[in-house]
């Protein structure tokens, strides 16, 4: 019998490439590698005892509920706890304003699925969060980069591009941005909100790092500004403050969009894990998450400072880098003529790794840039990693 050829993979799926960050993590998974590549929380700082106790209590006290199907919108107790935390940080929120998601990455995917038609225009920071580019490519969107400087997205450029491109939405990480660690100042946040109101686009404000502040004062969410309250979706996550393995995130959105995202989630996974939500809600009731986050911040501040202190001796003369007030990343630019991608194999050969900056650009990439994450290693390992990096950069790129 003649076997007919199978239909091809959908074009939107075939056009989305693998994440370079994930590919680098696979290459550097050896335990001897000091990796500044992945944005990974420090596992030794997880409150494993507290999380285990929360699961134990849930399974002992309400196993039938914890192991059963649940509502798409999410565990009512967890939504109430998240709403209380947001309200306490200056964004009045009710449980009914929230949808629990399987990580904040799913929240972004649901928003893209709900709002975007193939060919719609999305504005993104340049450079910006890599997985957002994958998400919008999978939705068939046309991605247009907005230039940034040391303070983040440039309002004048946003105004000009929005007037010309008529975007459907703007996606940004305004606090401790991935990959640069930059924080958008309050005046620029208001300019973003006013541009959205003037040009009629929505804002997706992603905030996975906002509670990891080491210096300075908090800056209000864009979602809290009156000009943007009717058009901003706020994405949040427990990955950086509790544990990423829980895969718990949420989105806060105006009522109509929230309902549409809930319908989209029904077709994706029906609901996020019932037992994981129940355990997280129990943890928030029994433990002091703020005290835990304070301990994490203390450790991460020491790690950030160890990285910053060692960069002058590790990088080629003429390199520049920023000093983020929080988050997980430092953004580095090597001197002109250096290519971070070409230099990476030499670094890996010395058992140290980073992420080249080029993949984070939706527009013309800067090959001299790279991202370094400081959270996954204690200070002494960071210092050893920087010594290895200095040797790799001194030798230059490996010959083909």
């Amino acid at each position: 019998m003649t076997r007919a050829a199978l239909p091809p993979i959908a074009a939107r799926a075939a056009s989305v490439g693998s994440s370079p960050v994930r590919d680098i993590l696979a290459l550097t998974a050896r335990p001897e590698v000091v990796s500044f590549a992945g944005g990974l929380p420090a596992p030794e700082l997880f409150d494993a005892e507290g999380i285990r106790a929360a699961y134990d209590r849930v399974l002992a006290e309400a196993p039938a509920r914890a192991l059963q199907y649940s509502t798409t919108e999410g565990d009512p107790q967890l939504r109430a706890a998240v709403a209380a935390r947001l309200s306490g940080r200056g964004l009045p929120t009710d449980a009914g304003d929230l949808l629990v998601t399987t990580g904040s990455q799913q929240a972004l995917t649901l928003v893209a699925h709900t709002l975007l038609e193939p060919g719609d225009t999305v504005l993104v920071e340049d450079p910006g969060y890599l997985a957002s580019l994958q998400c919008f490519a999978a939705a068939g969107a046309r991605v247009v980069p907005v230039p940034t400087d040391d303070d983040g997205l440039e309002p004048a450029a946003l105004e000009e591009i929005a007037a010309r491109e008529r975007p459907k939405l703007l996606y940004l990480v305004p606090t401790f941005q991935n990959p640069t660690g930059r924080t958008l100042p309050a005046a620029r946040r208001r300019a973003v909100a006013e541009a959205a109101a003037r040009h009629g686009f929505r804002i997706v404000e992603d905030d996975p790092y906002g509670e990891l502040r080491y210096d300075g004062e908090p800056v209000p969410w864009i979602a809290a500004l009156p000009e943007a309250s009717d058009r901003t979706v706020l994405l949040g996550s427990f990955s950086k403050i509790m544990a990423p393995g829980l895969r718990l995130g949420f989105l806060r959105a105006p009522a109509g969009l929230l309902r549409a995202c809930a319908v989209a989630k029904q077709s994706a996974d029906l609901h996020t894990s019932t037992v994981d939500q129940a355990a997280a809600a129990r943890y928030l009731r029994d433990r002091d998450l703020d005290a835990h986050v304070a301990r994490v911040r203390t450790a991460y501040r020491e790690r950030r400072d160890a990285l910053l202190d060692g960069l002058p001796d590790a990088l080629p003369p003429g390199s520049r880098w920023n000093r983020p007030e929080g988050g997980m990343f430092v953004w580095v630019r090597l001197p002109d003529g250096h290519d971070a991608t070409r230099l990476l194999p030499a670094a890996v050969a010395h058992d140290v790794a980073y992420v080249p900056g080029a993949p984070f650009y939706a527009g013309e990439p800067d090959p001299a840039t790279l991202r370094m994450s400081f959270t996954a290693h204690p200070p002494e390992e960071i210092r050893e990693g920087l010594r290895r990096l200095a040797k790799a950069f001194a030798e230059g790129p490996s010959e083909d």
Side-chain angles (χ1 to χ4, degrees):
M1 181 180 68
T2 302
R3 294 171 63 86
L6 292 170
I9 294 172
R12 65 179 179 277
S15 66
V16 179
S18 175
S19 165
V21 176
R22 293 283 165 180
D23 295 342
I24 290 171
L25 289 177
L27 290 173
T28 60
R30 293 175 287 118
E32 65 269 23
V33 174
V34 177
S35 178
F36 302 114
L40 304 179
E44 69 273 16
L45 298 178
F46 297 156
D47 183 11
E49 178 185 347
I51 293 173
R52 181 180 62 193
Y55 276 95
D56 287 346
R57 291 201 65 175
V58 163
L59 291 172
E61 297 173 0
R65 182 179 68 85
L67 299 175
Q68 185 57 277
Y69 285 114
S70 184
T71 60
T72 300
E73 289 77 11
D75 184 299
Q77 294 179 355
L78 180 59
R79 293 162 74 200
V82 172
R85 290 183 66 80
L86 293 177
S87 298
R89 295 173 61 201
L91 183 62
T93 302
D94 293 326
D97 299 328
L98 300 170
L99 173 68
V100 177
T101 59
T102 306
S104 63
Q105 186 65 36
Q106 186 191 52
L108 179 59
T109 301
L110 294 175
V111 171
H113 176 86
T114 301
L115 291 179
L116 298 176
E117 303 283 358
D120 281 343
T121 298
V122 175
L123 304 185
V124 299
E125 300 164 292
D126 206 32
Y129 176 45
L130 181 59
S132 75
L133 302 181
Q134 291 179 298
C135 177
F136 297 137
R142 175 174 168 265
V143 176
V144 175
V146 179
T148 62
D149 59 19
D150 290 344
D151 285 327
L153 184 143
E154 297 180 14
L158 172 64
E159 180 68 27
E160 185 273 326
I161 292 171
R164 183 183 71 237
E165 301 290 347
R166 301 182 63 83
K168 185 165 279 188
L169 65 85
L170 163 70
Y171 170 81
L172 75 169
V173 184
T175 305
F176 314 137
Q177 192 239 20
N178 183 358
T180 66
R182 298 165 179 161
T183 294
L184 196 66
R188 292 197 179 191
R189 295 181 187 221
R190 188 166 298 279
V192 168
E194 292 171 349
R198 188 162 43 248
H199 296 288
F201 59 83
R202 296 181 189 264
I203 301 167
V204 179
E205 180 179 15
D206 202 351
D207 185 38
Y209 312 106
E211 295 195 59
L212 301 180
R213 175 172 287 278
Y214 319 130
D215 304 313
E217 295 298 323
V219 186
W221 282 292
I222 297 172
L225 301 176
E227 301 89 339
S229 60
D230 67 335
R231 63 193 61 236
T232 302
V233 182
L234 178 69
L235 311 184
S237 173
F238 285 103
S239 291
K240 308 304 187 294
I241 61 173
M242 192 179 292
L246 292 172
R247 303 312 305 135
L248 289 175
F250 61 87
L251 66 85
R252 177 191 185 275
L257 178 56
L258 191 75
R259 286 193 298 271
C261 287
V263 172
K265 183 171 172 60
Q266 289 171 5
S267 69
D269 63 359
L270 300 182
H271 62 82
T272 295
S273 165
T274 310
V275 66
D276 293 337
Q277 292 187 71
R282 188 80 215 193
Y283 182 93
L284 292 170
R285 193 176 355 159
D286 293 348
R287 311 289 280 207
D288 187 344
L289 179 59
D290 290 333
H292 170 69
V293 173
R295 290 190 292 271
V296 171
R297 283 198 298 260
T298 297
Y300 286 175
R301 181 186 296 112
E302 294 174 352
R303 297 174 187 208
R304 178 203 61 179
D305 292 348
L307 179 65
L308 293 173
D309 290 346
L311 284 179
D313 294 329
L315 300 178
S319 298
R320 294 184 290 110
W321 55 90
N322 62 340
R323 181 185 178 84
E325 292 185 331
M328 304 177 74
F329 307 111
V330 169
W331 187 242
V332 174
R333 190 182 189 281
L334 304 175
D336 289 343
H338 288 70
D339 187 322
T341 300
R342 291 192 64 220
L343 288 164
L344 180 60
V348 174
H350 283 80
D351 291 331
V352 64
Y354 56 82
V355 178
F360 296 98
Y361 288 86
E364 184 68 27
D366 183 348
T369 56
L370 59 98
R371 188 193 77 177
M372 301 185 74
S373 177
F374 51 81
T375 53
H377 296 281
E380 60 273 17
E381 292 181 8
I382 289 174
R383 287 188 278 269
E384 172 58 26
L386 291 174
R387 285 190 286 269
R388 298 176 188 179
L389 193 62
K391 293 178 182 178
F393 281 158
E395 293 177 5
S398 302
E399 296 297 328
D400 295 332

